Amino acid sequence: MSSSSREPNLVILKGIRPLLSWDSEFLINEDKVRYRTCSSIHRNTSSYHMSISEPEIRELETFIPVSPTVFIYNKDSVVENSYASIEDIPAIKNDECLWIDVIGVQNEVLLSSISRRFKIHSLVIADIATNDQRTKLDVFEDALFLIIKLINSNRDTQQISIEQISFYMKENILITFQEKSSDIFDSIKNKIRLDKGRTRKSKIDYLFYSLVDKVVDQYMDVLDGVGRKIEAIERNLMEKLSRDTLASIYELKREMLFYRGSIVPLKEIIIKLQKEEETQIIQEGTLIYLKDLYDHVVQVNDTIDVYREMLASFISFFMMLNSNGMNQVVKTLTIISTVFIPLTFIVGVYGMNFDNMPEIHWEYGYFMVLFGMAVLTLIMFCVFKRKKWF
């Protein structure tokens, strides 16, 4: 197929996203439009599969929406599904819980659809779509909104990545928003599928606790890696002084500062969740688990404080070793200078070239002066050694 025959189709497809974002008529029925758009793209990519280049196919795929994972469960059953439209998610019964796990927070159409379906305030949606929010808890009359940071550590590259996770919880409904796909909640999903633990037997607030507890456990895993780095730095400090070691200390110190800013607010948030006036959604039976979660957060904060103090002590120790090394150099130069001061004096005396100097005309005068200088040097070294100056 020629390029001219492809261009109209590509132009139409590229115009889909601006149309859905800004046209008010389409926003009313945007889920239906998304479904038709997805079908249209599927038909177009199928019919032109042999003629459209791979980069063009990838460009088309960026407009295909990713459906969130939906769990509807109670103590007797569980249904896991992905729906083409948020409006297709069925209403739940009184004894059922709904968990919607959304991957990707930049899909304006999806967020708008969720906002309308579950009556989420536009400011909350704006916070969800902004990935540099601080850790915080907002309490509404019928809902809780929590933003926390997920810290991931790559075991191979030792690189740290930060991701924002948002939780919106109403009665029997929990919606989680992640920036990118992650396996952190896979174990909880498996427990729901296999009916393991208390999740399916409890209300939605227990699932909320379990997910937050998973994030806090991830903090502990990351801090274990930080602890190993600190041990390596301590060994390096004892072996040699290096600017790379000092740079590693300051890098970890910056990381600890960020961890503290992200994790410390969780203490106040969990305390707030345990207050009586804040527990309209949190069940009384879940409070004991929140206390356990609080203990975990306190442990994480204490670990961060210990690591920060250790890093600060490493910096002081590095400076002390560096100062001691400089002092040793100065001491060595001082000893050398002290030894040469009397020798310079003697050489200066016999270098004045006066005629009336008997030692100059003595046959062994030169050798006696050298011998005296050597003895004087030896005596000075013995005195320095006795005083433990070196």
Side-chain angles (χ1 to χ4, degrees):
M1 182 177 290
S2 63
S3 60
S4 60
S5 61
R6 293 200 306 267
E7 289 179 358
N9 292 306
L10 291 178
V11 170
I12 293 173
L13 288 170
K14 290 180 180 179
I16 289 173
R17 187 166 184 173
L19 185 63
L20 289 174
S21 300
W22 300 105
D23 193 290
S24 59
E25 180 179 355
F26 276 90
L27 282 175
I28 297 175
N29 299 300
E30 61 193 7
D31 289 319
K32 296 180 181 179
V33 175
R34 286 172 61 247
Y35 182 76
R36 291 199 300 271
T37 300
C38 183
S39 301
S40 175
I41 292 174
H42 177 73
R43 289 195 299 270
N44 288 335
T45 55
S46 298
S47 59
Y48 299 124
H49 177 71
M50 299 302 296
S51 57
I52 299 179
S53 64
E54 185 176 347
E56 291 172 337
I57 293 176
R58 286 200 299 267
E59 184 179 4
L60 294 178
E61 289 174 347
T62 60
F63 297 99
I64 301 177
V66 178
S67 300
T69 303
V70 178
F71 285 87
I72 300 176
Y73 65 88
N74 57 19
K75 62 180 180 179
D76 299 320
S77 63
V78 59
V79 176
E80 179 182 0
N81 205 346
S82 295
Y83 297 90
S85 169
I86 294 298
E87 300 300 330
D88 293 339
I89 298 176
I92 59 175
K93 302 175 183 178
N94 292 332
D95 64 336
E96 291 180 331
C97 295
L98 171 64
W99 175 25
I100 303 176
D101 187 25
V102 180
I103 307 297
V105 296
Q106 302 303 324
N107 191 328
E108 299 177 5
V109 173
L110 179 61
L111 293 182
S112 177
S113 181
I114 293 175
S115 175
R116 288 197 316 275
R117 170 68 189 273
F118 298 101
K119 297 179 175 58
I120 303 177
H121 197 280
S122 59
L123 293 179
V124 173
I125 295 297
D127 287 343
I128 293 171
T130 306
N131 58 10
D132 58 352
Q133 292 288 329
R134 62 181 179 84
T135 301
K136 67 173 186 176
L137 172 69
D138 291 334
V139 180
F140 304 98
E141 292 182 0
D142 60 343
L144 295 175
F145 176 58
L146 172 65
I147 292 180
I148 58 177
K149 299 295 183 179
L150 173 63
I151 304 174
N152 290 312
S153 177
N154 190 310
R155 294 183 179 179
D156 298 328
T157 63
Q158 299 298 319
Q159 295 295 320
I160 300 295
S161 61
I162 309 297
E163 178 187 348
Q164 178 174 297
I165 300 183
S166 304
F167 299 84
Y168 186 83
M169 182 172 63
K170 304 178 73 171
E171 185 177 3
N172 294 337
I173 298 174
L174 177 63
I175 310 175
T176 55
F177 300 87
Q178 302 183 61
E179 291 184 37
K180 55 187 177 182
S181 180
S182 172
D183 60 354
I184 185 171
F185 296 147
D186 284 355
S187 60
I188 297 178
K189 292 178 180 178
N190 288 330
K191 287 182 179 180
I192 294 176
R193 297 182 185 112
L194 303 176
D195 193 15
K196 302 292 185 180
R198 296 175 50 90
T199 306
R200 280 179 47 182
K201 302 176 182 65
S202 305
K203 294 290 186 179
I204 200 69
D205 59 327
Y206 183 84
L207 175 62
F208 170 77
Y209 148 76
S210 300
L211 298 177
V212 176
D213 188 56
K214 269 294 178 183
V215 176
V216 174
D217 289 343
Q218 183 75 5
Y219 294 157
M220 294 181 178
D221 294 339
V222 172
L223 289 177
D224 286 342
V226 172
R228 290 190 291 270
K229 290 181 182 178
I230 290 177
E231 291 177 359
I233 289 174
E234 187 175 15
R235 289 193 298 270
N236 290 336
L237 280 177
M238 301 305 298
E239 294 173 358
K240 62 179 180 179
L241 288 177
S242 170
R243 287 187 175 272
D244 292 338
T245 302
L246 185 61
S248 300
I249 294 174
Y250 275 107
E251 182 180 354
L252 281 179
K253 195 172 176 63
R254 286 194 298 269
E255 285 185 14
M256 291 297 100
L257 185 62
F258 178 81
Y259 295 163
R260 183 176 175 83
S262 300
I263 299 172
V264 166
L266 271 179
K267 291 175 62 177
E268 299 299 326
I269 287 174
I270 297 174
I271 291 174
K272 189 175 182 181
L273 288 173
Q274 295 180 74
K275 290 182 179 179
E276 184 177 356
E277 61 270 20
E278 308 293 353
T279 55
Q280 297 173 355
I281 299 177
I282 303 295
Q283 304 294 314
E284 185 176 355
T286 310
L287 293 179
I288 188 172
Y289 297 102
L290 289 178
K291 291 179 181 178
D292 181 69
L293 178 60
Y294 178 80
D295 292 338
H296 291 174
V297 173
V298 170
Q299 180 181 352
V300 171
N301 282 317
D302 290 344
T303 303
I304 291 175
D305 290 339
V306 169
Y307 286 169
R308 290 179 70 234
E309 291 178 3
M310 291 181 66
L311 291 171
S313 66
F314 286 169
I315 295 175
S316 300
F317 185 63
F318 183 92
M319 296 303 179
M320 183 190 69
L321 290 178
N322 192 48
S323 178
N324 286 343
M326 185 63 71
N327 290 340
Q328 190 65 34
V329 172
V330 173
K331 181 189 294 185
T332 302
L333 294 176
T334 302
I335 291 174
I336 294 174
S337 300
T338 304
V339 168
F340 276 92
I341 285 174
L343 302 183
T344 304
F345 172 76
I346 295 173
V347 172
V349 168
Y350 287 98
M352 291 187 293
N353 297 323
F354 289 115
D355 291 333
N356 191 17
M357 295 182 69
E359 299 88 349
I360 293 178
H361 304 287
W362 184 31
E363 182 180 0
Y364 301 104
Y366 173 72
F367 300 103
M368 289 301 297
V369 170
L370 290 181
F371 176 75
M373 294 170 64
V375 170
L376 181 60
T377 301
L378 183 61
I379 292 173
M380 294 180 68
F381 272 113
C382 290
V383 171
F384 295 157
K385 188 70 175 179
R386 187 180 183 88
K387 292 182 175 293
K388 298 181 179 180
W389 287 2
F390 65 91

